[in-house]
Amino acid sequence: MKPTLLMARAVFPDVLDYLGQYFDVEANQEDILFSQDALIAKLQGKDALYAVSSQLVPAAVIAACPRLQMIGNMAVGFNNIDLAAATAAGILVSNTPDVLTETTADFAWALLMATARRVTESEHWLRAGKWDRWCYDGFLGADVHGATLGILGMGRIGQSIARRSMGFDMRVIYHNRSRLAESDEQYANNAQLVSKEELLRTADHLVLALPYSPAVHHTIGAAEIAQMQPGATLINIARGGIVDDVALIAALREHRIAAAGLDVYENEPAFHPDFLALSNVVLTPHIASASAPTRRAMAMCAARNLVAAFSGEQPPNLVNPGVTRKVVAHG
Ligand code: DGY
């Protein structure tokens, strides 16, 4: 008998076909969003869950699903899952690192450029039929070339973002839990480790690339924004909750920083509506990893982790390797 698998959301059909070779799959190609109660009901009798970053798997779900043995998350971030509860319950959890690094770094640059040079704001203005003459001071933005790029969170994605700055003759500073190896700093355009305060004070363009955990909740709030330069831009491609959105909205409204580019929000997709009234923010719907090849690679990576686990192998991207896997009697 094949193990049973619940798909939290729709996925590429060929990935579903692949999973079907190894699992008895309950698909969700209608892409229905499961409430917590619906998820618990669907997971009864299921051995595994194929999750995405927007599907919360809190401790209450884990406690209510005694047969669940693995959660394969189709995302590098896994803050949607209560990892401690999963590990305590003997549930394997995997993610999809590496396959999205370069695509996400590309997108950080798309947001940075659009934000600094007011691309979407000026396009909306043009589309609204307001363009009747060229003006010497129309849509003046910030320069990117020659500027100082600050990166908070210098993991694989942060380093790839930094590397791209070589072509813009930028200076790179970063703040991270620990200093990178010298070879990694060289790779990252000779990035220089600085204190968080110096990063905030000095960066012309500040990019957030750190994973979310409760410890970094509102790492960028009113006090931190107050330390930034008035002409600075803030780019968040990491996770909602790292920035205090209410504080950011107030700062953008009062032009205490020049602009922000956001791909992630607190409580997304129900993000703060006051962002919509601001012209100095570029807003995208959590699409940093959304190139066609990368989303496909992420989907297959999540699937392969699940298949490996149920074929008796170590899933390549286990995020709780110390877990003692539960033994479940299949009936
Ligand atoms: C990730 O992989 O963590 C991306 O943000 C998509 O959720």
Side-chain angles (χ1 to χ4, degrees):
M1 213 169 68
K2 290 177 183 171
T4 48
L5 170 67
L6 175 70
M7 305 299 291
R9 297 289 302 278
V11 72
F12 296 102
D14 50 318
V15 174
L16 208 52
D17 291 345
Y18 168 71
L19 286 164
Q21 294 171 37
Y22 301 90
F23 293 93
D24 183 359
V25 181
E26 181 172 337
N28 180 9
Q29 293 303 81
E30 307 82 22
D31 214 24
I32 292 163
L33 300 176
F34 298 144
S35 65
Q36 183 168 308
D37 287 348
L39 182 65
I40 289 172
K42 292 263 178 201
L43 279 173
Q44 298 312 304
K46 298 292 189 311
D47 298 305
L49 171 67
Y50 186 111
V52 298
S53 62
S54 58
Q55 177 63 67
L56 300 183
V57 190
V61 169
I62 285 158
C65 301
R67 182 155 152 178
L68 190 63
Q69 296 177 62
M70 175 153 181
I71 304 166
N73 213 32
M74 184 192 147
V76 65
F78 46 87
N79 57 299
N80 55 309
I81 299 165
D82 188 324
L83 190 65
T87 306
I91 294 171
L92 314 185
V93 179
S94 62
N95 70 342
T96 62
D98 305 327
V99 290
L100 49 66
T101 300
E102 300 303 329
T103 296
T104 304
D106 288 349
F107 191 80
W109 274 92
L111 259 187
L112 195 162
M113 298 292 283
T115 305
R117 297 302 308 275
R118 305 174 67 175
V119 173
T120 55
E121 180 190 356
S122 59
E123 185 188 353
H124 289 146
W125 182 84
L126 177 152
R127 284 178 186 270
K130 294 180 180 169
W131 190 23
D132 65 351
R133 73 198 68 185
W134 179 91
C135 291
Y136 77 95
D137 60 351
F139 295 102
L140 301 181
D143 268 329
V144 175
H145 72 274
T148 297
L149 175 64
I151 302 190
L152 185 59
M154 200 61 147
R156 286 166 285 215
I157 294 172
Q159 290 170 44
S160 289
I161 294 168
R163 183 162 180 80
R164 282 160 173 71
S165 72
M166 284 176 169
F168 290 91
D169 293 328
M170 296 175 92
R171 171 180 175 233
V172 180
I173 53 176
Y174 73 98
H175 183 70
N176 199 41
R177 270 178 309 194
S178 53
R179 186 174 172 184
L180 300 184
E182 214 175 303
S183 56
D184 290 337
E185 286 185 342
Q186 274 165 13
Y187 173 85
N189 193 11
N190 295 312
Q192 186 196 345
L193 180 70
V194 295
S195 66
K196 185 177 167 194
E197 292 66 33
E198 188 174 345
L199 186 84
L200 292 167
R201 272 192 289 106
T202 315
D204 296 305
H205 305 290
L206 177 61
V207 181
L208 309 182
L210 64 167
Y212 180 84
S213 71
V216 300
H217 189 72
H218 288 184
T219 281
I220 302 293
E224 288 74 21
I225 295 169
Q227 295 175 61
M228 294 174 68
Q229 301 184 44
T233 59
L234 175 68
I235 308 299
N236 189 4
I237 47 99
R239 275 291 182 272
I242 294 172
V243 176
D244 177 344
D245 284 352
V246 170
L248 178 59
I249 287 165
L252 289 170
R253 196 180 279 136
E254 292 159 21
H255 297 277
R256 281 188 260 126
I257 59 170
L262 307 174
D263 188 46
V264 288
Y265 311 87
E266 292 191 276
N267 311 315
E268 64 183 57
F271 68 100
H272 200 300
D274 286 4
F275 277 126
L276 296 176
L278 297 170
S279 57
N280 54 350
V281 62
V282 177
L283 306 168
T284 54
H286 201 150
I287 57 166
S289 64
S291 75
T294 291
R295 279 287 165 85
R296 196 166 273 287
M298 290 166 69
M300 271 315 279
C301 179
R304 287 208 178 94
N305 276 298
L306 285 157
V307 168
F310 286 85
S311 307
E313 294 160 24
Q314 170 94 340
N317 309 116
L318 202 58
V319 297
N320 55 351
V323 65
T324 308
R325 188 177 178 169
K326 66 166 98 168
V327 178
V328 180
H330 287 221

